[in-house]
């Protein structure tokens, strides 16, 4: 059919790559006829959701015929106490992914420069391209953001710099000193976006930066999420911390009911579930030590991670090994799309899942 669609589509969309998500467990079961499938591909919380969140959801289910609070009043109140910032400095998103979309919508017009690391979280690139941005990709150095080169890349056309801290897919983070040096003397007419999706896993490191100190001084946005450490990925809820002024512009471009009722209730309750958070941090810590040890035994190079996943170099084409793992019922993240042809990224699982993965990987290698 010649419907001239390519002339109707916004030209910037013609260049946009599609995001390829990790396959859901049920789909892999169906396709391969497997009974048991372990997914260690999307950095979900392997011990499940926060029990306090589940209880709160159960209590509120009868109310789902009502629209949610447009302004996420209770969640913002709770977060405001937790973070010690004003409620009006918070924006809640349908996942922290949505905050990335909103920021680009507010600030970036075609040909504005956006600076990202290469590789990093894929959504920055995809959504920047959707907005027609002129994307500048600064290669990693030793599997870390090359923050000095990223700063050098800033010019008068630059609108936005994305810093994933800790980074995905590497799991590394920039230190307090490195961030301070980066922020020093930065021009005022650009936005620095700190994506702290793995904040809870990194916060106890002595030199992990406290970026909240910048929100009243510079144009910065900090995002965090309930998807990883709180185990609520399926509900889609994350938040941004910034100035009240920036929040008010983002409010103009977001849908009025962007965060559903169940997500708001669950996230508010999860913030009170310290026991669950601590249990999560402990199993992730122990799981990483186990994986590191096994990788060392197998002679595999890996990157020390401050998140709930580990990037590992198989020294062989990762397509083949990913497929073999899949046939054994294990889904991991093949890093080819990120340009890391010999790498896989594995989410820390339960003890049993980690063992199953290591056993399968040793058999394959
Ligand atoms: C998982 C992840 C997110 C997205 O989280 P949601 O809140 O689920 O949208 C954002 N940034 C990075 C770096 C991530 O790995």
């Amino acid at each position: 059919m010649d419907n001239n669609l390519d002339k109707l589509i916004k030209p910037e969309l013609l260049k946009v790559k599609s995001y390829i998500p990790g396959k859901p467990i049920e789909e892999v079961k169906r396709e391969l006829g497997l009974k048991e499938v372990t997914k260690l591909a999307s950095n979900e919380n392997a011990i499940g959701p926060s029990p306090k969140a589940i209880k709160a959801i159960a209590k509120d289910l009868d109310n789902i015929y009502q629209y949610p609070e447009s302004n996420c009043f209770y969640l913002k109140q709770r977060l405001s106490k937790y973070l010690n910032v004003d409620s009006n400095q918070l924006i809640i998103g349908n996942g922290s992914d949505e905050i990335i979309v909103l920021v680009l919508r507010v600030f970036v017009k075609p040909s504005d420069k956006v600076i990202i690391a290469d590789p990093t979280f894929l959504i920055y690139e995809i959504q920047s391209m959707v907005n027609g941005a002129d994307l500048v990709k600064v290669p990693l150095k030793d599997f870390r953001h090359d923050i000095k080169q990223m700063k050098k890349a800033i010019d008068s056309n630059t609108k936005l710099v994305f810093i994933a801290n800790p980074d995905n897919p590497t799991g590394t983070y920039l230190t307090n000193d490195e961030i301070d040096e980066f922020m020093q003397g930065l021009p005022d007419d650009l936005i620095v976006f700190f994506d702290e999706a793995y904040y809870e896993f990194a916060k106890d490191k002595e030199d992990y930066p406290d970026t909240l100190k910048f929100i009243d001084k510079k144009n910065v946005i900090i995002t965090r999420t309930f998807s990883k450490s709180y185990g609520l990925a399926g509900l889609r809820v994350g938040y941004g911390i910034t100035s009240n002024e920036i929040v008010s512009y983002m409010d103009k471009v977001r849908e009025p009911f962007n965060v559903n009722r169940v997500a708001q209730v669950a996230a508010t309750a999860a913030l009170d579930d310290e026991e669950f958070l601590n249990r999560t941090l402990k199993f992730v810590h122990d799981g990483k030590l186990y994986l590191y040890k096994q990788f060392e035994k197998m002679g595999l190079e890996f990157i020390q991670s401050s998140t709930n996943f580990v990037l590992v170099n198989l020294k062989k084409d990762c397509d083949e090994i990913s497929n073999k793992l899949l046939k054994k019922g294990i889904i991991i993240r093949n890093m080819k799309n990120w340009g890391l042809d010999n790498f896989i990224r594995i989410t820390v699982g339960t003890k049993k899942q980690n063992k199953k993965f290591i056993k399968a990987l040793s058999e394959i290698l």
Side-chain angles (χ1 to χ4, degrees):
M1 181 171 72
D2 188 10
N3 53 9
N4 274 327
L5 203 53
D6 57 338
K7 296 196 186 76
L8 292 170
I9 297 287
K10 292 199 254 177
E12 48 272 24
L13 284 193
L14 298 172
K15 287 184 277 179
V16 177
K17 285 191 266 181
S18 297
Y19 182 79
I20 306 170
K23 278 194 184 183
I25 291 179
E26 294 307 319
E27 196 176 318
V28 173
K29 279 188 186 168
R30 261 197 323 271
E31 278 178 11
L32 297 175
L34 292 167
K35 279 214 187 73
E36 212 191 295
V37 170
T38 302
K39 185 180 172 195
L40 301 172
S42 300
N43 307 336
E44 292 148 340
N45 191 327
I47 59 169
S50 144
K52 282 201 178 167
I54 300 180
K55 256 197 204 145
I57 293 170
K59 253 170 111 182
D60 196 58
L61 273 183
D62 286 346
N63 294 327
I64 58 168
Y65 69 96
Q66 296 172 10
Y67 279 101
E69 297 238 12
S70 169
N71 197 31
C72 299
F73 179 81
Y74 293 105
L75 177 53
K76 282 190 182 177
Q77 289 257 305
R78 183 65 190 87
L79 272 172
S80 140
K81 253 201 322 195
Y82 171 69
L83 299 165
N84 202 15
V85 300
D86 270 4
S87 270
N88 67 16
Q89 294 183 293
L90 295 167
I91 177 135
I92 317 293
N94 183 33
S96 56
D97 273 0
E98 192 189 17
I99 316 247
I100 298 170
V101 173
L102 297 181
V103 166
L104 283 156
R105 217 180 264 170
V106 167
F107 291 104
V108 174
K109 56 183 190 328
S111 301
D112 284 346
K113 235 184 200 183
V114 173
I115 298 174
I116 64 171
D118 184 24
T120 186
F121 191 50
L122 284 180
I123 307 295
Y124 312 145
E125 169 162 2
I126 293 171
Q127 289 301 327
S128 296
M129 298 297 283
V130 166
N131 285 280
D134 173 10
L135 195 67
V136 180
K137 294 161 102 176
V138 178
L140 299 180
K141 192 175 168 191
D142 300 327
F143 292 93
R144 302 176 74 237
H145 276 44
D146 190 344
I147 194 71
K148 290 205 168 105
Q149 287 304 323
M150 287 176 84
K151 190 170 184 177
K152 273 191 193 154
I154 294 170
D155 64 15
S156 58
N157 290 324
T158 306
K159 267 292 177 62
L160 189 56
V161 183
F162 281 108
I163 297 174
N165 204 30
D167 182 31
N168 176 4
T170 62
T172 59
Y173 69 98
L174 292 168
T175 65
N176 190 45
D177 288 352
E178 287 171 309
I179 295 295
D180 278 352
E181 194 183 326
F182 173 78
M183 294 300 289
Q184 193 86 49
L186 214 57
D188 284 332
D189 56 352
L190 82 146
I191 307 285
V192 181
F193 190 115
F194 292 107
D195 181 339
E196 299 182 354
Y198 300 95
Y199 167 79
E200 293 81 7
F201 300 101
K203 68 179 173 25
D204 294 331
K205 308 249 175 215
E206 221 173 285
D207 56 353
Y208 181 74
D210 168 23
T211 46
L212 289 185
K213 69 185 177 194
F214 298 117
I215 53 174
D216 293 320
K217 301 188 188 88
K218 299 267 188 181
N219 292 321
V220 304
I221 294 160
I222 300 150
T223 54
R224 294 179 189 164
T225 183
F226 290 94
S227 297
K228 314 279 161 60
S229 58
Y230 292 100
L232 301 178
L235 291 179
R236 314 299 304 123
V237 51
Y239 57 97
I241 315 155
T242 180
S243 67
N244 174 231
E245 222 182 338
I246 292 177
V247 168
S248 66
Y249 282 108
M250 284 200 279
D251 274 340
K252 287 183 199 232
V253 298
R254 76 171 168 88
E255 292 175 42
F257 303 110
N258 62 327
V259 183
N260 72 72
R261 277 195 86 88
V262 180
Q264 291 187 35
V265 164
T268 309
L271 285 170
D272 286 328
D273 206 342
E274 224 171 300
E275 194 273 329
F276 175 77
L277 182 62
N278 289 334
R279 196 146 46 91
T280 296
L281 299 184
K282 174 96 172 76
F283 99 82
V284 167
H285 175 81
D286 295 348
K288 272 192 292 196
L289 291 187
Y290 169 78
L291 290 171
Y292 292 168
K293 210 163 132 196
Q294 299 306 314
F295 291 148
E296 270 164 15
K297 272 193 201 161
M298 295 158 104
L300 297 176
E301 182 195 332
F302 58 90
I303 315 300
Q304 288 277 342
S305 165
S306 302
T307 64
N308 66 340
F309 59 81
V310 183
L311 186 66
V312 49
N313 185 355
L314 302 175
K315 295 183 202 140
K316 275 184 194 168
D317 187 279
C318 60
D319 271 347
E320 194 192 319
I321 292 169
S322 305
N323 282 332
K324 285 185 177 162
L325 282 168
L326 195 62
K327 289 206 181 102
K328 288 176 182 280
I330 298 167
I331 317 173
I332 49 83
R333 208 72 157 115
N334 170 341
M335 284 288 116
K336 218 163 224 183
N337 269 339
W338 279 257
L340 297 168
D341 288 359
N342 292 345
F343 286 78
I344 59 171
R345 190 195 68 198
I346 157 143
T347 305
V348 178
T350 61
K351 247 186 200 166
K352 200 173 143 202
Q353 291 174 327
N354 296 336
K355 273 200 177 140
K356 179 179 167 185
F357 161 72
I358 289 292
K359 182 165 175 281
L361 185 64
S362 338
E363 283 166 12
I364 292 165
L365 294 175

